Amino acid sequence: MDFTPTEEQAAARDLAAEIFGDLATPERLAAAGTGSDAELWKALCAAGLPGAVADVGLLGLVLLLEEQGRVTAQVPFAASCVFGLLAVAAHGTDEQRARLLPALRDGTSVATGALPARSSVTVDASGALSGTVAWVPWLRDATHVLVAVADESLWLVRTADAGVAPVELTAPWSAGRLVLDGAEGERIGGATAYEDVRATARTAFAGLQAGVCAGSVARAVAHTNEREQFGRPLAAKQGVQLRAADAYMDTEAIRVTAYEAAWRRDAGLAYATHALTAAWWASEAGKRVVHAGQHLHGGMGADLDHPVHRHFLWGRQLDAYLGCGSEVLEELGALLAGDAAKGEEPRGELNPREGLNPQEGMNPQAELDSQEELNEKEGTV
């Protein structure tokens, strides 16, 4: 595995960091309320960042979403890329890709997803969908919504053909209630499309959570270095240092598991268990980090208008989105147990004979033996 960004990925990440850093200020975020920042979305689209995701892959998207999460920028970037651009590119027909992808790349079309699948949503033989989804993030911004129906098939519906009512979430995600009353949809992908899109979404939103947590930790570090108590910075206290260190390690665990799942998908390797692992860390570790960030701000962390509170709200919302930690862990256990019962390799795990670097020309045991021989010659232990 090599998570080193390519030149294209690094350039896209740096550009995203610059745009998010310049425009997603606390003052602009407060002015946007619970809706999206339309000017910021226009700036991202003008820079070509949504379209760049088709070239930089899922790992590149994770890098971009980290930068969004650091400042909790209110734009439908993750949803449109995952449920629109990547879903259609991976599972759409040639005609669907030619028709839908150009507008998704330039941002004139915005997609979101009504996932996971719900028994309350059905589709008839003509492709008409019926049912209600209580809340869908970024639905108020979307031109299209990818709906997972009861049989886990995916259907793309124009929001103009459905009913959309505003819904307020804990995080300001421009959410809405989706009402489908015979709305016409078009099928996206086959029997495996749902699981792939859900795994892709979990990986991408884990990357977003990594950024949210990194931003929370950064704010906590800055605050505890500036705030003094009894003539010493709060950061000099061992308890504060330990709490911040735990939050940092949790953040790194979220990041590396998201990187691994994304890298495997881009490499064409099985990644089902890796996506679930990333989602578990994003849920369980994510809520620990944003709680720590708020607590390290002391009384200021309880201020609803303080920027760190936005990280808390986003972290808790992402904790439960697409499955909370216990649900994800149960799904992961069932997946591993099912493979073991069938005598198969766990899905998402590398075959022991795969993944070796052909340039090295030896296996890990041979490398170990060679190192031991070298140590004996040099007289080292």
Side-chain angles (χ1 to χ4, degrees), residues 119-123 128-134 162-163 177-183:
S119 59
S120 60
V121 181
T122 59
V123 60
L129 284 80
S130 299
T132 300
V133 182
R177 183 171 183 259
L178 179 67
V179 180
L180 301 165
D181 186 11

Side-chain angles (χ1 to χ4, degrees), residues 53-284:
V53 172
D55 300 317
V56 300
L58 183 55
L59 180 55
L61 176 59
V62 166
L63 295 172
L64 297 177
L65 293 179
E66 275 193 84
E67 301 307 324
Q68 178 186 358
R70 288 181 201 278
V71 293
T72 60
Q74 292 176 198
V75 286
F77 193 76
S80 193
C81 288
V82 170
F83 299 120
L85 189 67
L86 292 181
V88 173
H91 300 288
T93 64
D94 290 341
E95 186 277 331
Q96 287 173 328
R97 288 195 289 268
R99 172 167 48 89
L100 297 169
L101 288 181
L104 289 167
R105 286 194 183 105
D106 64 24
T108 53
S109 287
V110 175
T112 189
L115 271 73
R118 293 171 175 85
S119 59
S120 60
V121 181
T122 59
V123 60
D124 63 21
S126 67
L129 284 80
S130 299
T132 300
V133 182
W135 64 275
V136 179
W138 294 287
L139 184 62
R140 303 202 305 261
D141 300 325
T143 58
H144 296 79
V145 55
L146 189 66
V147 181
V149 303
D151 64 359
E152 296 189 351
S153 59
L154 295 176
W155 298 80
L156 193 65
V157 178
R158 295 191 311 147
T159 52
D161 297 332
V164 176
V167 171
E168 300 301 330
L169 304 180
T170 54
W173 284 1
S174 193
R177 183 171 183 259
L178 179 67
V179 180
L180 301 165
D181 186 11
E184 181 181 352
E186 57 179 312
R187 179 76 181 265
I188 300 292
T192 62
Y194 172 74
E195 290 299 335
D196 178 63
V197 170
R198 185 169 62 159
T200 300
R202 281 171 164 165
T203 303
F205 283 101
L208 184 62
Q209 180 77 303
V212 170
C213 291
S216 177
V217 172
R219 290 189 181 280
V221 169
H223 172 77
T224 55
N225 274 285
E226 295 170 359
R227 184 82 168 180
E228 292 190 357
Q229 188 178 62
F230 304 116
R232 298 176 61 198
L234 290 174
K237 299 182 179 297
Q238 189 178 44
V240 171
Q241 294 172 2
L242 292 174
R243 190 77 188 276
D246 285 342
Y248 173 80
M249 294 302 295
D250 273 337
T251 302
E252 289 301 298
I254 300 170
R255 176 182 289 117
V256 73
T257 51
Y259 283 6
E260 183 178 10
W263 175 84
R264 289 183 65 89
R265 183 186 188 275
D266 291 342
L269 300 171
Y271 73 110
T273 57
H274 298 79
L276 287 167
T277 302
W280 183 85
W281 275 103
S283 176
E284 293 297 313

Side-chain angles (χ1 to χ4, degrees), residues 365-380:
Q365 184 59 50
E367 292 181 2
L368 180 60
D369 294 341
S370 298
Q371 185 62 48
E372 290 177 350
E373 292 175 2
L374 180 61
N375 289 344
E376 291 177 0
K377 291 179 181 179
E378 295 179 350
T380 59

